[in-house]
Amino acid sequence: MMRSFVKRKVRKSIAITLTLLLAIASAPLGAIDAAATVPDQNKKQDAPTFSNVSVHDPSIVKDGDTYYVFGSHISAAKSKDLTNWTSFANGYTTPGNTLYGDLSKNLAGSFAWAGENDADSKGGFSVWAPDVFWNEHYVNEDGTKGAYMIYYSVSSTYIRSAIGIAVAPKIEGPYQYVDTIIHTGFTKDTAFDKDSKVDKKWTNTPIQQLIKEGKLEGPRPGWFNTDGSYANRMFPNAIDASVFYDANGRLWMTYGSWSGGIFLLELDKATGKPMYPGKDGTTEDGRLIDRYFGTKIAGGYGESGEGPYIEYNQETGYYYLYVTYGGLAADGGYNMRLFRSKSPTGPYKDAKGQNAVLPANTKNITYGNKLIGNFLFDSKIGDPGTGTGYGYVSPGHNSVYTDPATGQMFVVFHTRFPHQGETHELRVHQMFMNQEDWPVVAPYRYGGETLTKLDEKQFIGDYQYINHGSDSSATIKNTQFIQLKADHTIEGDVQGTWRKSGDSYIQLTLDGAVLDGVFLRQWDQVTNQYILAFTVLSNKGEMAWGSKLPDMTDTTVVDSVYRELDLGDTSRVTASLNLPKEGSRQSRITWKTSDQSVITDTGEIKRPGIGEKAASATLTATITKGERSRDKIFNITVSPYEKATLTASYTFENNLEDQQDAFANGEVIGDRIDRQGGSVSYAEGVRGQAVVLDGKSGIALPEGLISSSAYSVSLWVKPSELTLHTPTFFGAMDSNHWISLLPRGPEKDNTMVWSGSSSWYTGSTGLKIKTNEWTHLAFTVDRGMLAVYVNGKIQFTGSGFPDVFTSKSGSFSLGVNWWDPAFKGSIDELSIFEGALPPCTGGGVSEDESELRLMNREYR
């Protein structure tokens, strides 16, 4: 499970780079081959192939016939066709690092300030945001010219970072360190971060030497807050460097992350180093010019914004600035934004004419054209294809490549996916210029497609529709349904008009907004076929996509919904059913029960008690589309509660023994499952003694503690700290099949049961437990049904929970897993049950002694 980038407190992200050279036969940018013919929809076309890699914050460049992406945590991959990628880097390995050789020694000049075994990178490295390009003007030590240059970031906190440069004769390295060119996070006087020996005083940076050389006037008083700390609301975090040439051949670097905004510096082409302004000033439009950091071009005042990437487009004459808003984790709402300018130094503006540099006390969500955010083309019942659909979560930190021969444009980024946690992959989408000279992004990943001449009649039909809006929230935009009618009107969830122009351009008018873009044919991996799609940008800066559905009559729609409508195994129902109300193309599904005392029209069940007989009823679904209607009947059997059996009990009475004598004793381990060492102590608990974990230790529980699809876990916890992803109880078959009971989980910091990562599941309680206070946590699993309790009250129920423990070889622990910070606090009265405990009956307390352990009212 790759989550190292989420664990840092730093608002990292990483850079995005430029130059790539693509060679795929295509019409020039903004033009269509007039001789192109409309593809024969009945002719079988070869399906594209894809090989996926995980490269966070990818920067793209081309060498010869090969495309390369370089990303955070020293990840890198290459491809011949932009669809099939192969990784070639080896992460933080040192010595013997693929890109840097002896990583620790080679980059020591940068690590002296940040990034190695320091503060938030304690115990490891934080090397992010590389940008690679071929600099033909670079003068090597032997006097020869030309080198590949890599601009990388190192970071120890959300503001103490540095940008360094290294060079190599070949693109795959190894790269040799040259210099560290930007430092941030320095203070006016001596100061130290937690877990750091680095004195942050500004005189410990190269700034003092630059002043001696006459390149800077002196330290700027505004760099510091009144308490002497770094003024990060006005000035940048030195990560996410990206380099580009302007129309006149001058070389520039843009960089920065979050609070203080995005900055720009001109570079000396012979050295690759900044030509610092030397003096403070302002641009003609009033933007900040700093003697050291350069010109501010976006963001500021604590608002999100990172991963800047600038590309000049010869066809339009604009410089396009890409940035990413939000947080990079799956629940962070990461999303890509776009501005443009006629000058490399700005001002950069969006489709509404707003400056990318923010005013004070202003939220950034309405600034910048939003390219892609969280979305899901969710497959409705009866839609073609299988699964939940196609979508992205927290896509961002992109780079861009334009083929100099064909004009084809590509946006390259990383993304997570709905319901898959922090797993991320590289994605490449083609872009096209609309008639307002704004790039619009194709809805589906690049599969070799080009724009072709389309007939207007092909546009008419039913569509799945996504509008990315302008928010930066973690909310996933789900599919709406629209119809493009022959009379050029649009009906469905949104209404308006449409018109075709040229061979494949389209303009929509929806709810008063004008959206301009293109139609194209793309490969849909959900349905495994080529479909017609459109991508348009509104005059409000919102990207919208449409994906055409196959032509179907109302009868065909109803029959398709009828065939696919399924409630799963209804022969032993143990939890209320989620009854769908809508099928494909806005078809309606209504429900009727034969017995309200067994199951209601809305799917709520009344489960018989322990020892009672199962109850049965029928549910009738009526599917309606237009004048067509059809019924489908489901036989429902509701299973009674079953008595759960206590199989293991660890009460921690100054020992780690199982009081049931069924399993071996627990063993003290280090701060990860696979680390030795550690120590525990004991203190007053809920009953008698409790075990105390110090944040550096855990407890290994015996194998096979759980080995079924129905079980319950109950324990008391008293955390002294709440750290993200830290488990109390953890169980796993391997690193891709696990469950974790988290006091503080990744969904709004709420307490939850989490499972992953091949099939991710989040059972959030919607609340966060308190520190230094005893709380009872419990969860039950009953053949795919999960229930989570806090202090005896049920806070979450859900279906589809993965069946993790398929054998008696599972690993179990308290307070630690393989990846995250160890638990600090007390744990008491751990009980494991075979079977799912029923909820409490009246009065909040069960009659059953085993249930009493779970629902105990004596909370402290």
Side-chain angles (χ1 to χ4, degrees), residues 234-293:
M234 292 297 295
F235 297 98
N237 184 24
I239 65 172
D240 300 356
S242 176
V243 180
F244 69 99
Y245 287 100
D246 68 14
N248 299 314
R250 295 164 70 185
L251 186 62
W252 301 84
M253 180 183 76
T254 181
Y255 70 99
S257 171
W258 277 75
S259 305
I262 307 301
F263 283 71
L264 182 80
L265 280 167
E266 187 172 1
L267 303 180
D268 182 328
K269 290 191 287 187
T271 65
K273 298 179 183 181
M275 295 188 290
Y276 305 102
K279 297 181 180 180
D280 300 332
T282 57
T283 63
E284 291 183 1
D285 59 305
R287 289 174 292 117
L288 170 71
I289 299 176
D290 179 74
R291 64 188 72 181
Y292 177 62
F293 296 120

Side-chain angles (χ1 to χ4, degrees), residues 351-553:
K352 292 187 286 187
Q354 300 176 125
N355 197 318
V357 174
L358 296 173
N361 302 314
T362 303
K363 294 296 182 183
N364 65 0
I365 58 174
T366 61
Y367 286 73
N369 300 352
K370 186 177 178 182
L371 298 183
I372 309 177
N374 290 5
F375 76 92
L376 177 63
F377 277 111
D378 50 322
S379 293
K380 302 284 195 303
I381 300 169
D383 282 343
T386 59
T388 59
Y390 151 68
Y392 295 158
V393 169
S394 288
H397 203 125
N398 70 286
S399 55
V400 173
Y401 173 72
T402 299
D403 186 295
T406 67
Q408 276 185 296
M409 299 187 301
F410 299 90
V411 59
V412 182
F413 57 97
H414 72 255
T415 186
R416 291 158 178 78
F417 305 93
H419 316 304
Q420 294 186 39
E422 302 303 334
T423 298
H424 62 85
E425 291 179 350
L426 175 75
R427 285 294 181 268
V428 179
H429 284 229
Q430 193 168 184
M431 296 193 296
F432 306 91
M433 285 293 179
N434 71 8
Q435 296 183 89
E436 301 298 324
D437 289 339
W438 284 111
V440 291
V441 181
Y444 294 91
R445 68 189 302 186
Y446 176 66
E449 71 276 351
T450 60
L451 291 181
T452 56
K453 184 177 181 179
L454 297 171
D455 188 276
E456 183 176 282
K457 292 181 181 179
Q458 293 178 272
F459 293 7
I460 300 167
D462 299 339
Y463 289 82
Q464 293 176 306
Y465 177 75
I466 295 282
N467 187 316
H468 288 280
S470 63
D471 63 297
S472 289
S473 74
T475 301
I476 295 176
K477 300 291 191 302
N478 286 314
T479 303
Q480 294 179 292
F481 175 77
I482 63 172
Q483 293 177 306
L484 270 59
K485 312 287 284 188
D487 63 358
H488 294 93
T489 61
I490 300 174
E491 296 182 359
D493 290 323
V494 291
Q495 296 82 40
T497 60
W498 67 275
R499 67 180 179 87
K500 177 179 179 290
S501 62
D503 289 326
S504 62
Y505 288 99
I506 186 171
Q507 187 178 89
L508 310 181
T509 303
L510 296 171
D511 296 335
V514 178
L515 300 93
D516 182 67
V518 300
F519 260 95
L520 72 156
R521 191 171 299 281
Q522 287 199 278
W523 179 256
D524 176 9
Q525 285 187 274
V526 174
T527 61
N528 290 317
Q529 63 181 352
Y530 284 95
I531 54 90
L532 197 63
F534 66 76
T535 172
V536 291
L537 181 75
S538 78
N539 52 2
K540 298 179 181 179
E542 298 177 355
M543 191 76 66
W545 291 342
S547 179
K548 192 178 182 184
L549 295 165
D551 294 334
M552 295 173 68
T553 65

Side-chain angles (χ1 to χ4, degrees), residues 3-31:
R3 286 212 311 273
S4 60
F5 48 84
V6 186
K7 292 187 276 186
R8 307 299 185 195
K9 297 178 183 176
V10 185
R11 301 273 193 184
K12 56 191 191 280
S13 218
I14 315 179
I16 316 174
T17 174
L18 166 87
T19 42
L20 201 85
L21 309 150
L22 181 63
I24 300 172
S26 162
L29 182 64

Side-chain angles (χ1 to χ4, degrees), residues 29 63 70 93 197 298 320 332 349 389 434 519 527 543 547 581 602-603 608 639 690 734 823 840 853 856-857:
L29 182 64
D63 179 65
F70 295 85
T93 299
K197 296 180 180 179
Y320 292 90
K349 298 184 177 181
N434 71 8
F519 260 95
T527 61
M543 191 76 66
S547 179
K581 297 179 181 179
T602 59
S639 298
D734 53 52
F823 178 78
C840 297
R853 290 179 178 269
N856 197 301
R857 292 187 300 174

Side-chain angles (χ1 to χ4, degrees), residues 73-302:
H73 311 298
I74 315 182
S75 60
K78 55 187 177 180
S79 172
K80 298 286 188 181
D81 56 11
L82 295 175
T83 61
N84 294 281
W85 294 89
T86 302
S87 296
F88 68 90
N90 59 353
Y92 288 130
T93 299
T94 188
N97 190 275
T98 302
L99 296 185
Y100 297 106
D102 190 333
L103 172 66
S104 182
K105 184 179 296 184
N106 188 18
L107 302 190
S110 295
F111 290 145
W113 182 249
E116 181 185 10
N117 192 31
D118 176 65
D120 292 336
S121 62
K122 192 73 174 177
F125 296 89
S126 291
V127 183
W128 305 331
D131 188 26
V132 175
F133 81 110
W134 171 256
N135 183 354
E136 62 180 334
H137 305 285
Y138 182 79
V139 179
N140 295 288
E141 288 184 353
D142 62 2
T144 60
K145 287 188 176 182
Y148 272 102
M149 303 193 71
I150 188 167
Y151 287 69
Y152 62 86
S153 308
V154 294
S155 190
S156 285
T157 72
Y158 67 101
I159 54 177
R160 179 160 59 88
S161 306
I163 294 171
I165 54 177
V167 297
K170 296 182 180 180
I171 192 168
E172 293 189 23
Y175 287 82
Q176 184 60 42
Y177 175 78
V178 174
D179 200 1
T180 305
I181 57 176
I182 293 289
H183 292 67
T184 58
F186 46 79
T187 55
K188 185 177 181 180
D189 301 305
T190 293
F192 297 88
D193 291 317
K194 181 182 178 182
D195 294 325
S196 176
K197 296 180 180 179
V198 176
D199 185 346
K200 298 189 295 181
K201 187 176 181 180
W202 72 272
T203 54
N204 293 318
T205 74
I207 293 175
Q208 189 170 30
Q209 182 62 32
L210 292 171
I211 294 171
K212 289 181 180 180
E213 295 172 359
K215 295 180 180 179
L216 299 181
E217 284 186 330
R220 179 175 184 160
W223 288 341
F224 311 107
N225 296 313
T226 55
D227 62 357
S229 60
Y230 180 67
N232 66 299
R233 286 178 60 84
M234 292 297 295
F235 297 98
N237 184 24
I239 65 172
D240 300 356
S242 176
V243 180
F244 69 99
Y245 287 100
D246 68 14
N248 299 314
R250 295 164 70 185
L251 186 62
W252 301 84
M253 180 183 76
T254 181
Y255 70 99
S257 171
W258 277 75
S259 305
I262 307 301
F263 283 71
L264 182 80
L265 280 167
E266 187 172 1
L267 303 180
D268 182 328
K269 290 191 287 187
T271 65
K273 298 179 183 181
M275 295 188 290
Y276 305 102
K279 297 181 180 180
D280 300 332
T282 57
T283 63
E284 291 183 1
D285 59 305
R287 289 174 292 117
L288 170 71
I289 299 176
D290 179 74
R291 64 188 72 181
Y292 177 62
F293 296 120
T295 302
K296 182 176 287 192
I297 60 172
Y301 296 105

